[in-house]
Amino acid sequence: MPPGTDKSSARGTVTAVRGAALDVAFEGGTLPAIDEAVTVRTRGGDTIVAEVQAHLDASSVRCIALEPTTGLSRGSEAEAAGGAVTTPVGESVLGRLLTVTGELGDKGPALAPDTPRWPIHRAPPALAAQNGATDLFRTGIKVIDLLTPMAQGGKAAMFGGAGVGKTVLVMELIHAMVAGYRGISVFAGIGERSREGHEMLLDMRESGVLDRTVLVYGQMNEPPGARWRVPMTALTVAEYFRDAQQRNVLLLMDNIFRFVQAGAEVSGLLARLPSRVGYQPTLASEVAALQERIASVGDAAITAIQAVYVPADDFTDPAVTTIAAHVDSMVVLSRQMAAEGMYPAIDPIASSSVLLDPLIVGEDHARMATDVRRMIEHYRELQDVISLLGMEELGAQDRRMVERARRLQRFLTQPFTVTEAFTGTPGKSVSIADTIAGCRAILDGECDDWAESSLFMVGTLEEARAKETAARNAGAAGGTQAA
């Protein structure tokens, strides 16, 4: 079903094709509105969906194609759809893979003709109708639950450069929430590699969660218009479940930076002057138009978890700072920790959450998070001294703090379910009570005589204790045999 339903829509002719940018002249001076869909028919009979982005004069518009323009030429017929691009929503799309225009991408059976369709451009909920997000969203990942707690109906973003584990972390969150989270999941693949999309579909099918999930993809090989609008399509699907069915929705987006990047490409195609660092001048309004639609309304909420690529590990990049201004929880991934094998490579100092407040998480949790951060920060301050002069030059108190900080860092590592096939170690999910108890034991000195390796890549402190006991027994047995 094509976008829009207005049968009296204006007709026009393509006058210029510049890659994904099309100029269309309309008869009679009736121009489609900005963001309205236009359907263009190629000489071969195929149709291409485009979106109006500028009015050039009284009779022509400039559009951005949401599909490849191969085979399109001047003189092709165009028709305004009478409204924005629409996407199918509701129960029918659960377990399916959609494209930016709402077409099926999984080669499955066609949707029923009566499947409802919503426009992808929608106003955010009124501020008076929104609810504050304070109900914690438990992930089972120790460092996230302790230092950067997430909220139902909140927005969390994972910032990191290339190769530090953003996609793996998003995949693990999907797995971690299968058991404890029974709502609807919507996954938006923005500029994803085709391999990643295929793996995600197979993984969800094997884990049995596909029947509660909608996958929406605008892949890396697609035009910038598709990558630019695919988060809007995914968000519209999520809004239907929230507003029409009052169901909680988990919205996962990987990668939001590619949404910004696609916007910059579109801006160039529209001949707009670039702004800071070459980004589009509309960067702030484009990010806001997406992020402000993610909210809790009534008894239902959209909880968003977003991966954000940080170009050249520069956290002052305009795209990164613009996205960071909208999120409640910032999970910052560290290249140095990834190089040391500390996975998840989450920086405990740079990461933050507005929910880490005693009134929300409780006095015990907030105090423990502060103590853990203080200990690790003190260790980092002493690292230059240690690297130059060695541990022997530190005072007894500083040496003890460094040893405990190193044990804390190792205890906050955790094996993931999605990496089990590569590491051979089963994934672990840890409650926040066990995480706090383990950190308290390390800070109180109960583990001072343990090997650091006993705390590395374990779940609870009891698992670490069992690992330490086994290592000691093995050492004692080896010593007896040597004697």
Side-chain angles (χ1 to χ4, degrees):
M1 181 177 176
T5 56
D6 187 355
K7 301 299 181 185
S8 60
S9 299
R11 295 180 180 275
T13 305
V14 174
T15 58
V17 182
R18 302 179 189 87
L22 318 173
D23 289 354
V24 182
F26 282 90
E27 305 162 2
T30 304
L31 296 183
I34 300 294
D35 289 339
E36 187 172 326
V38 172
T39 304
V40 183
R41 189 172 296 278
T42 67
R43 304 277 182 175
D46 297 326
T47 58
I48 294 170
V49 177
E51 197 177 78
V52 177
Q53 287 301 316
H55 289 176
L56 300 179
D57 52 42
S59 62
S60 59
V61 299
R62 181 159 292 164
C63 306
I64 294 295
L66 305 185
E67 297 172 306
T69 56
T70 307
L72 189 63
S73 61
R74 287 184 296 177
S76 298
E77 296 179 358
E79 183 179 0
V85 173
T86 62
T87 182
V89 293
E91 299 288 339
S92 301
V93 298
L94 289 174
R96 306 306 300 269
L97 190 151
L98 303 177
T99 67
V100 64
T101 57
E103 301 297 321
L104 295 174
D106 55 7
K107 299 182 180 178
L111 298 176
D114 60 348
T115 301
R117 297 184 73 99
W118 278 19
I120 67 170
H121 294 288
R122 298 171 54 79
L127 194 60
Q130 296 183 26
N131 300 330
T134 57
D135 291 337
L136 294 184
F137 198 88
R138 301 298 188 192
T139 66
I141 299 173
K142 290 182 286 191
V143 64
I144 289 179
D145 287 345
L146 178 67
L147 301 177
T148 62
M150 299 179 183
Q152 285 204 23
K155 295 186 278 280
M158 293 160 193
F159 297 88
V164 295
K166 295 183 301 299
T167 299
V168 171
L169 195 52
V170 169
M171 291 283 289
E172 181 64 19
L173 283 167
I174 294 171
H175 273 271
M177 292 162 188
V178 168
Y181 181 81
R182 302 299 300 176
I184 300 297
S185 298
V186 179
F187 181 86
I190 308 165
E192 289 284 271
R193 301 168 184 87
S194 299
R195 168 187 58 79
E196 291 174 334
H198 184 65
E199 286 176 359
M200 173 75 76
L201 185 61
L202 290 178
D203 197 43
M204 287 195 163
R205 194 170 280 153
E206 289 171 5
S207 60
V209 298
L210 191 60
D211 61 339
R212 301 197 309 275
T213 305
V214 185
L215 303 176
V216 187
Y217 273 91
Q219 296 186 138
M220 194 177 279
N221 60 325
E222 296 188 50
R227 290 178 271 122
W228 190 41
R229 289 310 190 203
V230 75
M232 303 295 186
T233 302
L235 192 48
T236 301
V237 174
E239 285 173 330
Y240 177 86
F241 288 110
R242 180 195 66 190
D243 298 340
Q245 298 190 359
Q246 284 74 53
R247 298 168 76 177
N248 289 328
V249 184
L250 175 64
L251 176 64
L252 300 125
M253 293 192 276
D254 187 8
N255 184 305
I256 287 293
F257 176 79
R258 294 196 186 114
F259 158 71
V260 172
Q261 201 172 36
E265 292 178 49
V266 168
S267 184
L269 288 168
L270 296 173
R272 292 175 181 153
L273 287 174
S275 182
R276 287 188 303 155
V277 200
Y279 285 109
Q280 61 270 41
T282 52
L283 171 64
S285 58
E286 285 176 14
V287 172
L290 176 68
Q291 299 287 354
E292 293 303 311
R293 288 169 62 179
I294 302 168
S296 300
V297 179
D299 296 328
I302 296 176
T303 304
I305 297 174
Q306 311 164 27
V308 185
Y309 168 69
V310 180
D313 291 340
D314 179 13
F315 285 88
T316 64
D317 187 88
V320 176
T321 55
T322 303
I323 295 166
H326 289 273
V327 300
D328 308 313
S329 303
M330 277 185 63
V331 179
V332 178
L333 287 95
S334 161
R335 187 169 301 281
Q336 181 181 348
M337 292 183 67
E340 293 172 1
M342 300 287 185
Y343 288 104
I346 295 172
D347 190 327
I349 308 303
S351 302
S352 62
S353 172
V354 298
L355 299 163
L356 199 58
D357 185 297
L359 297 175
I360 297 173
V361 299
E363 289 281 354
D364 197 31
H365 183 164
R367 189 184 306 111
M368 183 54 60
T370 302
D371 291 344
V372 166
R373 278 209 176 100
R374 185 182 294 121
M375 181 83 60
I376 294 174
E377 179 66 24
H378 188 63
Y379 166 50
R380 290 188 177 180
E381 290 171 358
L382 294 171
Q383 274 185 320
D384 286 344
V385 175
I386 295 168
S387 60
L388 289 171
L389 304 174
M391 285 276 286
E392 297 75 18
E393 295 301 316
L394 298 178
Q397 185 177 356
D398 281 343
R399 192 179 305 132
R400 186 166 59 249
M401 288 188 72
V402 167
E403 289 170 351
R404 289 178 184 174
R406 287 176 60 86
R407 284 171 172 78
L408 271 176
Q409 282 188 326
R410 279 147 184 78
F411 179 65
L412 291 176
T413 61
Q414 190 169 341
F416 280 176
T417 303
V418 293
T419 59
E420 185 176 343
F422 309 105
T423 63
T425 306
K428 304 290 183 183
S429 179
V430 185
S431 69
I432 186 62
D434 287 338
T435 301
I436 292 172
C439 291
R440 182 182 291 111
I442 295 169
L443 289 172
D444 290 345
E446 292 180 26
C447 309
D448 284 357
D449 59 341
W450 292 14
E452 290 180 2
S453 58
S454 297
L455 293 155
F456 182 65
M457 283 294 168
V458 296
T460 64
L461 191 70
E462 293 308 312
E463 292 176 31
R465 182 175 280 111
K467 194 174 173 182
E468 173 70 12
T469 303
R472 288 186 179 183
N473 291 340
T480 303
Q481 288 178 358

